[in-house]
Amino acid sequence: MSAARQVVVEADGGSRGNPGPAGYGAVVIDPATGEPLAEAAEYIGVATNNVAEYRGLIAGLTAAKALFPDAGDALRVHVRMDSKLVVEQMSGRWKIKHPDMKPLAARAAAVLPPSSVTYEWIPRAQNKHADRLANEAMDAGRDGRQWEASASTAALDAPARPASTPPPAQGPPGDQAAGAARARAALAAARGAAADTLFPVPEPGVPDTTVPAPAPGQPAGAAPEAPGASRQQPAGAPQVGWGSAPDLGAPATLVLLRHGETALTPEKRFSGSGGTDPGLSATGRSQADRAAEHFAALGTVQEIVSSPLRRCRETAAAVAGRLGLDVRIDEDLRETDFGAWEGLTFGEVRERYGDDLTAWLASPDTAPTGGGESFAEVAERVADARDRIVARYAGRTVLLVTHVTPVKTLVRLALGAPPEALFRMELSAASISTVAYYGDGNASVRLLNDTSHLR
């Protein structure tokens, strides 16, 4: 039997436009020394971020296999990516719904035996080598040439990978099992071998948080999901006490501002991303101005990110004008698409679509009538936005101007609360909530539904 060979693959992909000119990068690393063994990168034309990320994964796995062609089943690959989507889908915890992703996931799963590959989410700051390779590939495509390994400087931008450093805590910032991942990393550090932390033997009484690929015969993403639990980690994970936490530096603080009122708000009508896209009413404009005064007095907001819907853009513009900041738009911060319920009151929906409403209230996986979004689907894209924003603005205070469902979802995920918690939170127009995200993956809800600035 061949001796086990262990390598780490870090992969990334990007698109300048999403979709737009895209490329991927991947690096194979020796886990014992941290040294890169092989690099791969390619400009792939116009594609989305997710397609590019999957292509990077396929390239990384292929490069690892090529390094040890005779290893067979003895090759063990630990994949690290900052794409939560790819990690969760390839781990089998999230369903693969997009038709463009299914064949790519199948290609990735076919490179090596599923039992030979494990997956780990890492913050973008820890994936600089692969990110740099992807950007080099996109630069090459822009200039009408192919990426060349001999001209790459990506390794110079890569973070140091000392052999004694345990892997980062798994899971996106604020998810429930982050404490368990931190405890696992501490145990690994005590044992002292980097290869053991990446390819570990579970300690008695400590949950195994390393995620293997789906078993043979079970396609990636095919595992059944608990209702609405696609972004939740296993319940009951032990938490590490505050007293034992290292100095993690300043958190990324997300200040969550719900937009001001529209004409539909006081009538309590469904107003999502599939309706008329109303602007602020006179009351809503006054609320936005008061929020702007409040944030100007505090002087703490450093960045502003907004939903693309008009009511949020108008609210964000009022604040940005007072603070002298630009507003970035993130499509994933938009409100739920309520389908045929858009513009209706709760009572009108109950009268017209009673059975559908009952099913929707009972399950976060149920979408509104007429092709709207389920809360589970909204949670996936909101968590994607959170991961991007936290990685981009680490240590900074960011104002997110968004809607009821995204704000409640961010709070719910930070608390590790079940999906039904969405129905147990009050969120007023122009209210402020705050969540801080720390470097170890833990989160702290600091404020919820504060309207004192409106009085």
Side-chain angles (χ1 to χ4, degrees):
M1 175 180 286
S2 301
R5 303 301 300 263
Q6 300 171 348
V7 295
V8 171
V9 167
E10 293 177 354
D12 198 12
S15 172
R16 295 170 180 173
N18 199 29
Y24 67 74
V27 56
V28 183
I29 300 163
D30 183 338
T33 65
E35 293 300 312
L37 303 176
E39 293 177 329
E42 184 183 3
Y43 173 70
I44 60 174
V46 175
T48 65
N49 281 327
N50 291 339
V51 167
E53 289 163 348
Y54 262 110
R55 290 287 299 274
L57 169 63
I58 293 167
L61 293 173
T62 302
K65 183 178 181 180
L67 283 171
F68 306 103
D70 300 324
D73 292 348
L75 179 61
R76 296 289 182 267
V77 179
H78 186 71
V79 176
R80 300 194 291 212
M81 298 181 69
D82 60 68
S83 171
K84 190 65 179 169
L85 176 80
V86 174
V87 168
E88 294 297 318
Q89 288 182 343
M90 291 303 299
S91 300
R93 288 194 295 262
W94 291 358
K95 296 177 182 177
I96 304 175
K97 299 179 181 179
H98 198 287
D100 291 346
M101 300 301 110
K102 291 180 180 180
L104 291 171
R107 283 177 59 189
V111 176
L112 292 167
S115 59
S116 298
V117 186
T118 54
Y119 291 88
E120 176 188 356
W121 176 88
I122 58 174
R124 179 170 295 276
Q126 296 178 18
N127 202 25
K128 288 183 177 179
H129 195 152
D131 177 73
R132 178 60 179 165
L133 288 169
N135 276 284
E136 286 183 350
M138 286 185 279
D139 289 344
R142 178 198 61 201
D143 298 338
R145 55 185 175 82
Q146 291 295 320
W147 176 84
E148 296 180 2
S150 60
S152 174
T153 60
L156 301 178
D157 294 333
R161 302 183 184 96
S164 61
T165 301
Q170 274 189 286
D175 277 357
Q176 194 172 2
R182 185 152 57 108
R184 179 188 178 86
L187 287 170
R191 291 200 302 269
D196 287 344
T197 67
L198 294 173
F199 305 92
V201 177
E203 293 289 325
V206 179
D208 187 359
T209 57
T210 301
V211 182
Q218 177 186 355
E225 295 177 329
S230 60
R231 290 279 168 159
Q232 296 297 313
Q233 299 288 345
Q239 295 292 322
V240 177
W242 291 110
S244 62
D247 182 4
L248 301 173
T253 302
L254 302 190
V255 180
L256 313 174
L257 174 63
R258 185 190 170 194
H259 61 80
E261 282 190 10
T262 72
L264 300 180
T265 307
E267 297 179 6
K268 298 188 181 299
R269 295 184 179 274
F270 283 93
S271 182
S273 56
T276 58
D277 194 16
L280 297 178
S281 64
T283 298
R285 289 191 292 273
S286 175
Q287 292 169 334
D289 289 341
R290 291 190 180 188
E293 293 173 3
H294 170 73
F295 291 120
L298 288 179
T300 55
V301 171
Q302 299 167 291
E303 311 283 349
I304 302 177
V305 182
S306 174
S307 156
L309 298 185
R310 181 181 171 190
R311 51 197 182 271
C312 286
R313 288 188 286 108
E314 290 179 351
T315 303
V319 178
R322 287 295 302 271
L323 301 185
L325 297 175
D326 294 328
V327 178
R328 296 179 63 90
I329 301 298
D330 193 310
E331 293 287 335
D332 286 339
L333 293 178
R334 67 189 184 276
E335 181 58 284
T336 307
D337 182 344
F338 290 112
W341 303 352
E342 293 280 358
L344 302 180
T345 65
F346 190 86
E348 289 169 340
V349 172
R350 184 180 295 281
E351 181 179 343
R352 301 181 195 183
Y353 308 104
D355 291 343
D356 290 351
L357 179 63
T358 299
W360 179 73
L361 292 172
S363 172
D365 292 320
T366 300
T369 311
E373 289 180 289
S374 71
F375 281 147
E377 291 171 324
V378 174
E380 287 194 15
R381 62 170 167 83
V382 168
D384 279 341
R386 173 201 61 192
D387 293 348
R388 289 193 301 271
I389 292 167
V390 168
R392 182 184 182 95
Y393 301 115
R396 297 178 70 79
T397 298
V398 186
L399 178 67
L400 268 58
V401 185
T402 182
H403 309 263
V404 169
T405 309
V407 172
K408 289 184 176 182
T409 297
L410 289 167
V411 171
R412 177 181 77 78
L413 293 177
L415 294 173
E420 55 266 30
L422 292 177
F423 298 110
R424 298 174 184 173
M425 286 184 254
E426 176 70 23
L427 207 68
S428 303
S431 64
I432 298 171
S433 304
T434 305
V435 183
Y437 298 90
Y438 292 87
D440 65 345
N442 279 300
S444 174
V445 177
R446 297 181 172 181
L447 194 67
L448 178 66
N449 195 39
D450 178 25
T451 58
S452 60
H453 56 289
L454 302 177
R455 297 174 194 146

